[in-house]
Amino acid sequence: MELKLEEAIEILERTPGILTHFLSGLSEGWLQNREGENTWNAEEVVAHLIEAEKMNWLPRLETILQDGETRPFPPFDRFAHLKISNQNSIEEKLQEFKTLRVQNIEKLNHLVDPELHFELTGIHPEFGSVKLRELLSTWVVHDLTHLSQIIRVMAERYREDVGPWANYLGVLKRK
Amino acid sequence: MELKLEEAIEILERTPGILTHFLSGLSEGWLQNREGENTWNAEEVVAHLIEAEKMNWLPRLETILQDGETRPFPPFDRFAHLKISNQNSIEEKLQEFKTLRVQNIEKLNHLVDPELHFELTGIHPEFGSVKLRELLSTWVVHDLTHLSQIIRVMAERYREDVGPWANYLGVLKRK
């Protein structure tokens, strides 16, 4: 196991700042770009991260701590952010994500003692029994997945523009 | 063609800040992690970006503007940063990259007029004739490639730790 609580938090606490540094003030051409139909632009990814902050990580973590395997995780709809009308600007979304993340890291630090709680389990509606430490590792890698997605969506815009260099640019090789 | 000079610069000018926000103060476990032998850790990626800032983008751009196709690009060794002993700390490297990038964007703005120069060509030692606008697009996507690489290397650390979620985390699917 590589997971250490304080190292996981190092990534979790950086994500809002990385996103703000990347997306704040960026022009619409970059912010609205998609990889195709039914894919997310950068702003929709941020909206998804906000939803997950509200409905996924802490609710599931608290379910493990309070109910163990006696009650499955509350449902999380990965597409909720596309259905809920979020009229906030990208700047407001970035701020909302940052505020929620700060609160959730505080709760995480307050609730979880690695020695006592990492091996506790809960019931994922699809996978069955999962450990608290797996949920926490997933929270970190989920951040990295969506940072990576935003970068890939940006790069896609210049796929044709780079000409003969395309084969040497790793970010264009992955879909 | 998607490339617009001012939009390209939006990404180029953000990369040092994104990297600083991500890597500054991060613990060694994250900074030193690799995907395997002969792969780069985050600090080596930053060293490579510094080398490219010195030896690749502006020298090639200036070759196109000054010599066109009469002289091939000066050589760029993609592995130079592994041979040159760079004893600077990660914080110093991040600062060096930022300083070089600011200078290079100033030069870019000073030297390049999209209407006059985008279609100018030079000789790449491997690809042959390439356009200035292709070089510029590549500079942007090269930044995105290496941001994406750093994120992927970080995620790799928790590949086993995420347990049954591994198949749902895109960043773990790509090598």
Side-chain angles (χ1 to χ4, degrees), chain A residues 9-119:
Chain A
I9 288 173
E10 285 181 23
I11 303 295
L12 293 176
E13 69 188 3
R14 277 166 169 76
T15 304
I18 295 168
L19 284 170
T20 299
H21 215 95
F22 199 172
L23 303 179
S24 178
L26 203 60
S27 58
E28 289 297 299
W30 291 117
L31 288 175
Q32 300 303 328
N33 198 51
R34 298 173 190 282
E35 291 171 302
E37 260 189 273
N38 298 318
T39 66
W40 300 350
N41 64 27
E43 192 159 353
E44 287 163 346
V45 173
V46 177
H48 166 70
L49 290 170
I50 289 170
E51 274 302 298
E53 219 56 27
K54 290 180 187 168
M55 304 299 287
N56 189 339
W57 310 113
L58 260 290
R60 287 177 169 193
L61 195 134
E62 287 167 339
T63 301
I64 293 178
L65 291 171
Q66 288 161 20
D67 304 308
E69 298 202 0
T70 63
R71 191 167 68 88
F73 290 156
F76 174 67
D77 179 353
R78 288 190 297 140
F79 303 99
H81 66 286
L82 302 176
K83 298 167 194 161
I84 299 160
S85 174
N86 188 336
Q87 301 296 334
N88 287 345
S89 68
I90 181 73
E91 310 296 338
E92 288 166 327
K93 287 193 184 87
L94 290 165
Q95 186 56 51
E96 184 180 5
F97 176 53
K98 184 181 172 181
T99 302
L100 289 165
R101 177 56 61 91
V102 168
Q103 289 167 358
N104 281 345
I105 291 174
E106 273 176 30
K107 286 184 198 167
L108 174 63
N109 269 321
H110 178 69
L111 291 171
V112 171
D113 177 335
E115 293 203 14
L116 292 177
H117 303 131
F118 266 18
E119 302 298 325

Side-chain angles (χ1 to χ4, degrees), chain B residues 49-59 86 96 100 104:
Chain B
L49 290 170
I50 289 170
E51 273 303 297
E53 219 56 27
K54 291 180 186 167
M55 304 298 288
N56 188 340
W57 311 113
L58 260 290
N86 188 335
E96 184 180 5
L100 289 166
N104 281 346

